[in-house]
Amino acid sequence: MSTIRNSRTRLLTAAASVALAALTLTACNGDGTGVTDEGAAPSASRPTPTAPTTSAPTAPSSSGTGTGTGTGSSASAPASKPTAQHPSEPAAKNPAKPPASAGKPVTCEGSTLKTVAAPLNRPVNHMLLTVTNTGSSPCHLYAYPAVRFGEAQAVPPVVEESHPQAVVTLAPGESGYAAVLLSAADGSGAHGHTEKSLSVHFYGPSGSGSVGAAATPPLPAQGVFVDDSLRVTYWQQDLDDALTW
């Protein structure tokens, strides 16, 4: 009896073990195949290469920091073109035009000139007349200055050799010159005397009589000495030309 009981016990134990093993396999394999799923094994086949894209390269963004995330220029967007000037923007300024009043030259005369009379040490016994155009238009200095010292009734003669090649023209602010030979350097002149006042008259284009107002530049307080050798030069554009005679 003991032997039979032991045999049954072993059979029951073996049957229980088989049943337990079957339940374990079923629980581990949900598809009932009895194979345990331990995760997908790495594929032995190579991945299929992706065909290269045919879209045009993305144009760089204006900031140069495009990252391909939508912050740069779109690959399908055309390159930006310069924009036309907006009508409301100011156009470039035109070159400055000279004032209309600076067009046609006029005759120089006392009211549009600043006249200065300055005695010189060299050449000796000479005085320099300087006239500056204070008007708004160019002016012509015709012939030579018609000077009158004190109460003189006649104007002194001109040094013909000083005749310029062209009429002297003064733009606004420019100066012209003439020299006055007051007396003979060697003392050979007659009727020498001192004068303390001077008036300067200006000739017109015809040279037959003065035009406009006369200038009255002041003389030194002690006056200037003149004699019968008194002469003037033609108006000159250059200072040195006036002092040559």
Side-chain angles (χ1 to χ4, degrees):
M1 283 299 289
S2 175
T3 301
I4 295 172
R5 190 179 300 114
N6 292 335
S7 297
R8 286 181 179 177
T9 301
R10 287 194 296 270
L11 289 174
L12 290 174
T13 301
S17 298
V18 171
L20 181 59
L23 290 173
T24 302
L25 290 174
T26 302
C28 294
N29 185 14
D31 56 2
T33 60
V35 180
T36 302
D37 186 2
E38 296 181 358
S43 175
S45 60
R46 295 181 180 178
T48 303
T50 303
T53 180
T54 58
S55 59
T58 302
S61 65
S62 59
S63 62
T65 58
T67 62
T69 58
T71 58
S73 302
S74 173
S76 60
S80 59
K81 297 181 180 180
T83 57
Q85 187 180 38
H86 195 278
S88 63
E89 296 178 5
K93 294 182 179 180
N94 293 327
K97 296 180 180 179
S101 59
K104 185 177 180 181
V106 297
T107 299
C108 296
E109 47 98 5
S111 66
T112 58
L113 294 172
K114 177 183 179 181
T115 304
V116 176
L120 302 174
N121 293 326
R122 292 188 179 182
V124 295
N125 302 342
H126 278 62
M127 184 175 68
L128 178 67
L129 291 178
T130 302
V131 292
T132 303
N133 184 1
T134 58
S136 58
S137 298
C139 69
H140 295 313
L141 277 173
Y142 293 104
Y144 52 90
V147 298
R148 292 180 185 273
F149 286 94
E151 301 298 325
Q153 299 298 311
V155 297
V158 65
V159 179
E160 291 293 345
E161 295 83 357
S162 65
H163 198 294
Q165 295 182 351
V167 174
V168 175
T169 301
L170 304 181
E174 287 188 333
S175 298
Y177 310 92
V180 181
L181 289 69
L182 299 172
S183 60
D186 59 3
S188 61
H191 304 98
H193 61 283
T194 299
E195 295 285 0
K196 294 188 176 182
S197 65
L198 170 67
S199 62
V200 181
H201 301 261
F202 301 87
Y203 287 113
S206 65
S208 59
S210 61
V211 297
T216 56
L219 295 177
Q222 70 273 18
V224 293
F225 182 83
V226 298
D227 62 21
D228 289 350
S229 301
L230 183 63
R231 293 182 296 168
V232 298
T233 67
Y234 281 93
W235 289 113
Q236 307 292 330
Q237 198 88 49
D238 186 83
L239 173 61
D240 290 338
D241 291 339
L243 299 180
T244 301
W245 311 100

